[in-house]
Amino acid sequence: MMPPSTIKLDKRGFTLIEVIVTIIAAAIVGVIFINFMGTAMSKSVRSVEMVQGEADAEALLEQVVADYVYELNRDPSTALNTIKGFIDGPPPKYGTKVTCAFITFDTNGNHTPYTGADENLKRTLKVTVAAAGNDLVTLLTRSRTSNSPPAAF
């Protein structure tokens, strides 16, 4: 047998305590990371839904404007009422997300719904498309006459 002073100890490995502490620390950091990433991932879905909703709303609004330009080139005097009929239906041509109303402006630039019966004063149609993020609004006006050049989209 060798005397105790000649036994060589190998100091290149980890102790069991060091390995357990490392695994526990990695597990804690992993839980924090997964919790943070899970929250961030679930919130990012909402942004994608908003962008998709706004893109769908823009497509509907472009269709309304294209139909308005077409009707404007056919008969400028009835174009606004035709588009209002498309929107109000039945059935509504663009679905239930699109609404409209004739409006007028006061001297301060504020708009109010037009409730009169005079067809000559129905000059501005406010079209609103509901979107997941923000509603899109455009104003269609009767600004052409029958002898004006064709409008382009």
Side-chain angles (χ1 to χ4, degrees):
M1 288 205 95
M2 295 184 159
S5 61
T6 61
I7 297 177
K8 202 174 176 187
L9 294 176
D10 190 8
K11 295 188 177 196
R12 292 185 301 174
F14 295 107
T15 65
L16 183 59
I17 298 294
E18 290 172 331
V19 171
I20 291 173
V21 168
T22 304
I23 290 172
I24 290 173
I28 291 171
V29 170
V31 167
I32 292 170
F33 179 73
I34 288 172
N35 186 27
F36 172 73
M37 287 305 292
T39 303
M41 294 286 244
S42 66
K43 288 181 181 176
S44 69
V45 171
R46 180 70 180 133
S47 298
V48 171
E49 289 173 351
M50 287 177 50
V51 169
Q52 182 62 44
E54 288 180 5
D56 293 343
E58 285 181 20
L60 272 174
L61 193 57
E62 286 179 10
Q63 185 179 1
V64 170
V65 171
D67 287 346
Y68 175 65
V69 169
Y70 175 77
E71 293 298 329
L72 193 62
N73 287 332
R74 284 186 54 223
D75 187 359
S77 64
T78 63
L80 288 177
N81 287 328
T82 302
I83 295 300
K84 183 160 178 41
F86 287 166
I87 293 171
D88 292 341
K93 180 177 181 178
Y94 309 108
T96 57
K97 291 185 176 186
V98 182
T99 58
C100 68
F102 282 105
I103 60 170
T104 59
F105 292 93
D106 62 15
T107 56
N108 294 326
N110 301 316
H111 67 83
T112 56
Y114 178 73
T115 56
D118 187 358
E119 290 295 321
N120 292 326
L121 295 178
K122 291 182 178 180
R123 300 191 57 80
T124 305
L125 184 65
K126 179 181 177 182
V127 177
T128 305
V129 180
N134 299 306
D135 292 349
L136 302 178
V137 177
T138 191
L139 300 177
L140 305 176
T141 62
R142 185 184 327 157
S143 58
R144 294 186 68 237
T145 60
S146 57
N147 59 359
S148 298
F153 176 58

